[in-house]
Amino acid sequence: TYLMLAHRWGSDDAARRARVALALPFLTDLCLLCGIAWLYARYGVQNIDTLVPILHTNPGWTVRSLVVASVLLMIGVGGRLGLWPLHPWLTQTSTSAPPAASAMVQSAWSILAIVVLYRLMPILAASNAQTLKVCMYACAASAGLAALLSFFGNEPRRVVALLGSAVSAMGAAVVIHGYQESSYTYAVAGVACVLAAAPARAAALLAISAIAGAMRTDDLAEMGDAWGRMRASSFTLAASGGVLSL
């Protein structure tokens, strides 16, 4: 991911901005690995199908140990989903990274992360109701803040990244709420939300990158008459924005 976002010939700004794409995901991935290591140290198994049935029966288990593991796992998944405030590795690189690399990173990592979250939800659900509630509220707050920040941005590619972060956060909140209410079909809807938004994120980012390149500016105020000059890209951007807003 770092190499894709940092590789732009003759541009020092891309390499400088991509440093956060190396540091922040490394820290969140480390939290994910620490959560897995914590569970392995407590239970001695790594297969999730074997682990879930013994979460409350293994000698020495405590609610606190499950809460610690759940928090670490949630931070790791939230970093790859790009949830606020773990989103700068997506927003800061969106204007300087190659458009194809940025689009692939934002769409592919969101799909992978939401599937991982869905697979790990039995562990989070086994901790306690308060942990699930805090995680759900955190995701909902992240969605609201990311969407709010997108209104104050004047860089279109950063706005698209923030909207994608808001959709991912809302999908994660739906997944957690589904397990909180023991409605697994409802949880699948959260996964489907992120899966449906991933192509729209990629299309919107590629379209706005084409418009920004043609207009030679990253300022929304200077991108007038895009519909008349680049109708296909403008239509793609409008359609993708409509999908993300749904």
Side-chain angles (χ1 to χ4, degrees), residues 121-171:
M121 276 309 302
I123 299 175
L124 275 69
S127 56
N128 56 24
Q130 185 176 3
T131 302
L132 281 181
K133 187 178 295 185
V134 169
C135 290
M136 186 186 67
Y137 287 159
C139 290
S142 174
L145 288 171
L148 184 63
L149 288 173
S150 68
F151 284 104
F152 296 99
N154 208 32
E155 296 177 349
R157 284 174 282 191
R158 184 174 179 272
V159 170
V160 171
L162 286 170
L163 285 176
S165 174
V167 173
S168 297
M170 187 56 64

Side-chain angles (χ1 to χ4, degrees), residues 100-240:
S102 185
M104 184 172 65
V105 166
Q106 292 190 33
S107 57
W109 274 117
S110 64
I111 294 174
L112 179 62
I114 197 66
V115 172
V116 170
L117 176 62
Y118 182 78
R119 289 287 292 154
L120 293 176
M121 276 309 302
I123 299 175
L124 275 69
S127 56
N128 56 24
Q130 185 176 3
T131 302
L132 281 181
K133 187 178 295 185
V134 169
C135 290
M136 186 186 67
Y137 287 159
C139 290
S142 174
L145 288 171
L148 184 63
L149 288 173
S150 68
F151 284 104
F152 296 99
N154 208 32
E155 296 177 349
R157 284 174 282 191
R158 184 174 179 272
V159 170
V160 171
L162 286 170
L163 285 176
S165 174
V167 173
S168 297
M170 187 56 64
V174 171
V175 171
I176 296 172
H177 183 64
Y179 271 85
Q180 188 179 17
E181 300 295 331
S182 298
S183 176
Y184 305 121
T185 303
Y186 190 71
V188 172
V191 178
C193 173
V194 177
L195 293 179
R201 294 178 69 173
L205 191 57
L206 292 174
I208 196 61
S209 296
I211 295 173
M215 301 289 186
R216 297 183 180 181
T217 180
D218 282 320
D219 192 343
L220 277 173
E222 299 176 2
M223 290 186 181
D225 198 30
W227 180 258
R229 298 172 59 182
M230 302 181 68
R231 185 157 298 181
S233 297
S234 300
F235 176 79
T236 302
L237 179 62
S240 301

Side-chain angles (χ1 to χ4, degrees), residues 7-191:
H7 181 70
R8 195 156 199 178
W9 181 259
S11 175
D12 294 332
D13 184 57
R16 185 170 56 253
R17 286 173 176 262
R19 291 172 186 169
V20 69
L22 177 65
L24 191 55
F26 173 78
L27 293 176
T28 56
D29 289 350
L30 187 62
C31 289
L32 181 63
L33 290 176
C34 287
I36 295 172
W38 179 269
L39 290 171
Y40 181 74
R42 294 282 177 172
Y43 295 94
V45 294
Q46 292 181 329
N47 191 320
I48 192 168
D49 295 327
T50 308
L51 175 62
V52 172
I54 63 173
L55 286 174
H56 291 166
T57 59
N58 196 61
W61 82 275
T62 60
V63 174
R64 182 177 297 179
S65 65
L66 290 177
V67 169
V68 171
S70 299
V71 171
L72 290 172
L73 294 174
M74 190 63 202
I75 293 174
V77 173
R80 285 302 180 180
L81 278 172
L83 306 187
W84 187 93
L86 304 174
H87 67 290
W89 71 282
L90 294 176
T91 55
Q92 290 189 20
T93 59
S94 60
T95 57
S96 59
S102 185
M104 184 172 65
V105 166
Q106 292 190 33
S107 57
W109 274 117
S110 64
I111 294 174
L112 179 62
I114 197 66
V115 172
V116 170
L117 176 62
Y118 182 78
R119 289 287 292 154
L120 293 176
M121 276 309 302
I123 299 175
L124 275 69
S127 56
N128 56 24
Q130 185 176 3
T131 302
L132 281 181
K133 187 178 295 185
V134 169
C135 290
M136 186 186 67
Y137 287 159
C139 290
S142 174
L145 288 171
L148 184 63
L149 288 173
S150 68
F151 284 104
F152 296 99
N154 208 32
E155 296 177 349
R157 284 174 282 191
R158 184 174 179 272
V159 170
V160 171
L162 286 170
L163 285 176
S165 174
V167 173
S168 297
M170 187 56 64
V174 171
V175 171
I176 296 172
H177 183 64
Y179 271 85
Q180 188 179 17
E181 300 295 331
S182 298
S183 176
Y184 305 121
T185 303
Y186 190 71
V188 172
V191 178

